[in-house]
Amino acid sequence: MITNYKRIVLALLTVTMLAACHSDKNKKLIELKKQQQTLSEQIAQLEKEIATDGLDSSKIDDGILVKTEVIASQYFTHSIEVQGALDGEENVKVYPEGQGVVTQVLVKMGSSVRKGQVIAQLDDKALRKSMKQTETQYKLACDLYERQKNLWEKKIGSEVQYLQAKTQKEALESGLAAVREQLDYLTIKSPINGTVEDLPLKVGMSASPAMPVATVINFSSNKIVADVAEAYNKSISAGDSVAIWFPDLKLEVKSTISNASKYINPVNRSFKVEVRLPSKLKNLKANMIAVLKIIDYKNKSALVVPVNLVQNDSKGSYLYLLSDGGKEKTAHKRYITQGMTYNGMVEVVSGLTVGDKIVTVGQLGLSEGAKVKE
């Protein structure tokens, strides 16, 4: 009994909901029909007004308003940008040839030095004392040799005595040369003409051949050194044009690549390029950052369009071209093959010819065969 009662209640609720839903739909339909009637009246009124002005409403819509441009060949280039660093023509770290304590530093940071000029002196007291003793022995050996030589020439004395004196003299001569060479190792000299740009030396510190004691840079001729990815090996070579941008100086200069290395670094798969700079540039400092814009592609008669005009569908990339049929102008898709893209422009390798009229404004609202007006 209770179960039958529940079924009856559920059926009544369902019928009530269906009735309410049907009622809502009827109300909505009535409302939409009222709106339709209002719009129809407004359209009829506008058509009446247009007819009064002597115009045909069927001819009011004469096409989508667009702007066009005639394609012409032009010079087109593509560039890559790599970061490099400023360097002097000669940039040398100075290492001492000997080991010892620094007793003198004879230059300062920024000092101009000549090739062979002494930068610093290491402690050489022990060697000089040894050299003085060797010089005394050598002087005696030379005297004995001369005496023995004179006797031997007069056939006095034995040949053995003469040869012993000669050997002693030559041995001390070699020893003296070795000591002088060691003394020279304790004198730190500039290997090039230039300017001292780094000088960590201080009197009393220990120096050795494993530790650089100064950096000397020759800024009479400057260059930019940069690493370029291996992928551009074929397209970049010595003589290529390059624009150099110094972010810190807000300065751009033009130059050419003076050298493109034939060696690929196995660690980062890149090769080095060098670009020489005009000597008149000022405020340049070693290791200053420079951005190189290297032209890796050029075409003297390319067909180029703004990249934002190119659209894509399942068939590929296309542009809208204007077809002038006399009384009526229409837009049609022209599928193209793209080449290099640079600075917002794309090279069209195929699909366009000189004289084609492409749609440059209003292309996004077009469809194949759409009626247009300029």
Side-chain angles (χ1 to χ4, degrees), residues 31-43:
E31 184 179 346
L32 289 174
K33 284 184 175 181
K34 288 181 179 179
Q35 293 178 6
Q36 181 183 18
Q37 183 178 356
T38 302
L39 289 173
S40 297
E41 291 174 355
Q42 290 177 355
I43 291 171

Side-chain angles (χ1 to χ4, degrees), residues 268-303:
N268 57 11
R269 308 307 304 175
S270 67
F271 63 96
K272 289 191 179 296
V273 296
E274 292 183 0
V275 180
R276 296 187 184 279
L277 296 175
S279 57
K280 62 182 179 181
L281 295 179
K282 297 180 180 180
N283 301 320
L284 298 181
K285 299 183 183 299
N287 297 317
M288 180 177 283
I289 291 176
V291 178
L292 302 183
K293 299 178 182 179
I294 307 172
I295 296 177
D296 67 325
Y297 173 79
K298 60 182 72 174
N299 187 345
K300 294 182 179 179
S301 56
L303 301 181

Side-chain angles (χ1 to χ4, degrees), residues 112-238:
S112 295
V113 293
R114 302 180 307 277
K115 182 178 180 179
Q117 181 176 336
V118 177
I119 293 176
Q121 179 66 50
L122 303 183
D123 186 9
D124 60 357
K125 289 181 181 178
L127 270 179
R128 289 197 175 278
K129 188 178 294 185
S130 176
M131 186 179 72
K132 189 173 182 180
Q133 293 175 353
T134 305
E135 284 176 341
T136 301
Q137 294 172 0
Y138 175 66
K139 186 177 180 181
L140 176 60
C142 287
D143 187 51
L144 291 175
Y145 168 71
E146 290 297 330
R147 291 174 180 271
Q148 199 62 46
K149 181 182 178 183
N150 291 332
L151 291 173
W152 175 244
E153 288 175 351
K154 295 177 181 179
K155 306 300 181 183
I156 300 173
S158 65
E159 183 179 6
V160 173
Q161 290 175 319
Y162 166 72
L163 292 175
Q164 286 177 341
K166 182 181 179 182
T167 300
Q168 181 68 14
K169 178 245 184 188
E170 290 176 348
L172 287 170
E173 189 173 3
S174 297
L176 187 58
V179 172
R180 286 172 177 165
E181 187 174 356
Q182 290 176 6
L183 277 172
D184 193 55
Y185 289 163
L186 297 179
T187 302
I188 303 173
K189 301 175 183 177
S190 173
I192 61 171
N193 296 330
T195 306
V196 178
E197 300 296 340
D198 187 26
L199 190 67
L201 276 182
K202 292 183 180 179
V203 174
M205 70 180 291
S206 179
S208 69
M211 179 185 71
V213 296
T215 300
V216 181
I217 301 176
N218 185 348
F219 266 106
S220 60
S221 179
N222 303 315
K223 62 183 179 182
I224 302 294
V225 180
D227 290 327
V228 179
E230 181 183 7
Y232 298 102
N233 181 46
K234 289 184 178 180
S235 57
I236 294 178
S237 58

Side-chain angles (χ1 to χ4, degrees), residues 325-351:
K327 293 182 179 180
E328 191 173 88
K329 297 178 181 180
T330 54
H332 298 276
K333 290 182 179 180
R334 177 73 63 82
Y335 287 91
I336 62 171
T337 301
Q338 300 181 61
M340 289 285 191
T341 301
Y342 187 64
N343 274 352
M345 305 297 287
V346 59
E347 179 188 24
V348 179
V349 178
S350 65

Side-chain angles (χ1 to χ4, degrees), residues 8-9 15 33 47 97 104 117 137 210 265 286 289 310 350:
I8 293 170
V9 172
V15 170
K33 284 184 175 181
E47 287 179 341
E97 295 181 284
Q104 282 183 297
Q117 181 176 336
Q137 294 172 0
N265 188 327
I289 291 176
V310 180
S350 65

